[in-house]
């Protein structure tokens, strides 16, 4: 079985010349289809940088990084955009557009897929919002929703296109314990149903039990 993520000898730097600083050191990691992997580590250890590289949101500088069988080192911007279509992203800040309803925010994720008609996109978005328990909030705007409800919309947006890989960066950080637990339970259930892989960055020890595997970052090094 081929890994969804395969990283070999990955190094990453910020800055130029005298200000150049290495932030990731010789990262090696394989994540298999269907796995739920949680990455922990202190602030500034490189977790979000690594996640952004895996998610094709930042260019790979040194080493090999294959995401969903695409080599990202040397990939053009067009290729990076193509790879992103196979992924869902969930962040601490839900990043919902305030002038769009819950359904419209979710539907945006489907607009990258040319083969899906507007009618089908609306139906899929509404169905996904029902699956996260927001069938009564489909036409609500973000400022009319609680923090937990906004994060559920973000989950629906990430999963509506049935991605092969979901990347989540501190998805429960702004939520109370019960709401945070509800959010990760929804993530776990839906991703298992869809057969996709999760890589989740968190400081929240309350959700570690959802992981098939926990990895740890410290000072730019990956420590299993």
């Amino acid at each position: 079985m081929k890994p969804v993520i395969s990283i070999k000898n990955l190094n990453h730097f910020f800055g130029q010349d005298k200000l150049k600083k290495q932030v990731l050191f010789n990262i090696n990691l394989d994540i298999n289809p269907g796995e739920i992997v949680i990455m922990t580590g202190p602030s500034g250890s490189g977790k979000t940088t690594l996640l952004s590289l895996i998610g094709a949101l930042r260019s790979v500088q040194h080493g090999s990084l294959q995401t969903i069988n695409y080599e990202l080192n040397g990939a053009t911007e067009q290729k990076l955009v193509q790879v992103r279509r196979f992924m869902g992203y969930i962040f601490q800040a839900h990043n919902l557009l305030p002038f769009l309803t819950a359904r419209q925010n979710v539907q945006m994720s489907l607009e990258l897929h040319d083969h899906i008609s507007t009618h089908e996109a609306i139906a899929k978005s509404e169905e996904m919002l029902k699956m996260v328990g927001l069938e009564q909030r489909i036409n609500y705007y973000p400022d009319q929703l609680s923090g937990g409800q906004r994060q559920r919309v973000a989950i629906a947006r990430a999963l509506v296109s049935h991605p092969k890989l979901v990347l989540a960066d501190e998805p429960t950080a702004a939520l109370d314990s019960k709401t945070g637990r509800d959010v990760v339970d929804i993530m776990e259930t839906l991703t298992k149903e869809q057969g996709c892989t999760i890589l989740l960055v968190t400081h929240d020890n309350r959700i570690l039990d959802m992981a098939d595997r926990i990895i740890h970052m410290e000072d730019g090094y990956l420590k299993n």
Side-chain angles (χ1 to χ4, degrees):
M1 187 181 294
K2 203 162 187 181
V4 174
I5 298 168
S6 183
I7 304 173
K8 308 292 183 194
N9 304 317
L10 180 73
N11 295 279
H12 197 76
F13 302 81
F14 287 151
Q16 298 291 329
D17 302 322
K18 290 182 179 179
L19 297 176
K20 191 173 183 180
K21 179 184 178 183
Q22 189 164 358
V23 293
L24 294 178
F25 298 83
N26 199 36
I27 303 296
N28 290 277
L29 175 68
D30 285 345
I31 297 179
N32 296 315
E35 260 196 306
I36 298 177
V37 176
I38 287 182
M39 180 161 50
T40 63
S43 296
S45 60
K47 304 184 303 297
T48 296
T49 300
L50 179 56
L51 202 72
S52 65
L53 287 164
I54 292 169
L57 300 172
R58 199 186 292 273
S59 295
V60 175
Q61 298 170 342
H62 299 279
S64 173
L65 197 168
Q66 293 185 17
T67 299
I68 318 173
N69 298 329
Y70 289 93
E71 175 58 63
L72 300 188
N73 191 346
T76 63
E77 181 57 34
Q78 184 179 5
K79 177 62 72 176
L80 294 177
V81 170
Q82 185 179 349
V83 174
R84 288 178 208 138
R85 293 177 180 172
F86 296 101
M87 289 186 265
Y89 304 88
I90 304 168
F91 302 103
Q92 175 180 346
H94 46 75
N95 295 333
L96 302 181
L97 293 176
F99 50 86
L100 297 180
T101 64
R103 191 262 298 163
Q104 290 168 332
N105 267 286
V106 174
Q107 190 178 334
M108 277 188 62
S109 183
L110 294 171
E111 290 175 0
L112 294 169
H113 301 268
D114 299 334
H115 64 284
I116 298 177
S117 68
T118 300
H119 177 77
E120 187 180 1
I122 290 171
K124 284 178 176 290
S125 300
E126 292 185 354
E127 180 61 28
M128 184 56 67
L129 284 166
K130 289 176 184 175
M131 292 177 75
V132 299
L134 292 178
E135 60 270 22
Q136 304 301 322
R137 300 287 189 275
I138 286 172
N139 294 313
Y140 282 47
Y141 290 90
D143 65 358
Q144 297 173 306
L145 301 171
S146 69
Q149 289 170 338
R150 288 194 289 269
Q151 198 62 303
R152 289 182 186 212
V153 176
I155 291 171
R157 180 182 58 190
L159 296 178
V160 68
S161 60
H162 289 247
K164 295 180 179 179
L165 174 63
V166 172
L167 302 175
D169 194 359
E170 298 284 2
T172 65
L175 305 175
D176 62 63
S177 58
K178 182 183 185 307
T179 306
R181 183 78 240 180
D182 290 345
V183 162
V184 296
D185 285 346
I186 290 168
M187 280 179 59
E188 183 177 14
T189 299
L190 291 179
T191 51
K192 290 287 189 186
E193 286 177 359
Q194 294 187 4
C196 68
T197 303
I198 299 180
L199 176 58
L200 188 152
V201 168
T202 190
H203 286 106
D204 189 349
N205 292 331
R206 300 167 300 185
I207 66 171
L208 297 182
D209 60 299
M210 77 178 286
D212 296 315
R213 181 159 49 114
I214 297 171
I215 57 179
H216 187 74
M217 286 283 292
E218 198 163 323
D219 298 327
Y221 291 91
L222 191 62
K223 302 181 176 183
N224 289 333

